[in-house]
Amino acid sequence: CIHGGVGRQLQSIEEIDSIERPIRVSLDTSDHVEQCVLDILWSDPCESDKEIGFKPNNFRDSANTGNIVKFGADRVQRFLSDNRLSMIIRSHECVMEGYERSSRGDLVTVFSATDYCGKNKNPAAILYI
């Protein structure tokens, strides 16, 4: 489980384990670890499974640093394969049915806040594993 996604720099579970806590979050990253933190926190999947690679995430990256991206289904498949995982579960994006599957069903977004910000009228979801 991860908050945002796998982004552009994050390659392995070991990288997540090795991040020194507490973390420092900066939109202007100066090294690989800071970029991995941004990937974990703020990256989102592309809107369509047909999209591949990386795209700017202008919604999350209001400062236009280029450090926050959307990632394609190919990125999900590569991360899963390289890390011998079967699924990525994430949470940080409001989805209108409470949950959403993407990347051929291998990425699941679970959102647990109903009627997000009092204006989305979305249901919440939980995931039993």
Side-chain angles (χ1 to χ4, degrees), residues 2-7 10 39-44 71 88 90 92:
I2 199 163
H3 182 256
V6 293
L10 184 66
D39 288 347
I40 293 165
L41 290 176
W42 305 122
S43 63
D44 294 320
F71 52 90
I88 297 172
R90 62 186 296 272
H92 111 106

Side-chain angles (χ1 to χ4, degrees), residues 61-75:
D61 189 9
S62 58
N64 293 317
T65 63
N67 292 329
I68 302 174
V69 298
K70 292 185 176 197
F71 52 90
D74 61 325
R75 177 71 174 106

Side-chain angles (χ1 to χ4, degrees), residues 26-111:
S26 172
L27 293 180
D28 292 319
T29 61
S30 61
D31 61 34
H32 178 76
V33 172
E34 287 180 357
Q35 184 58 55
C36 284
V37 168
L38 284 186
D39 288 347
I40 293 165
L41 290 176
W42 305 122
S43 63
D44 294 320
C46 290
E47 284 79 21
S48 166
D49 282 357
K50 294 177 184 172
E51 295 179 79
I52 60 172
F54 305 99
K55 298 187 183 291
N57 192 336
N58 298 323
F59 180 72
R60 305 269 180 233
D61 189 9
S62 58
N64 293 317
T65 63
N67 292 329
I68 302 174
V69 298
K70 292 185 176 197
F71 52 90
D74 61 325
R75 177 71 174 106
V76 171
Q77 298 306 314
R78 188 172 349 110
F79 188 86
L80 291 173
S81 175
D82 290 351
N83 289 279
R84 290 183 249 164
L85 299 171
S86 59
M87 180 179 286
I88 297 172
I89 302 167
R90 62 186 296 272
S91 63
H92 111 106
E93 189 175 20
C94 179
V95 289
M96 294 315 295
E97 298 301 320
Y99 74 97
E100 184 174 276
R101 294 182 76 127
S102 59
S103 299
R104 296 188 280 170
D106 294 332
L107 179 81
V108 178
T109 300
V110 180
F111 198 71

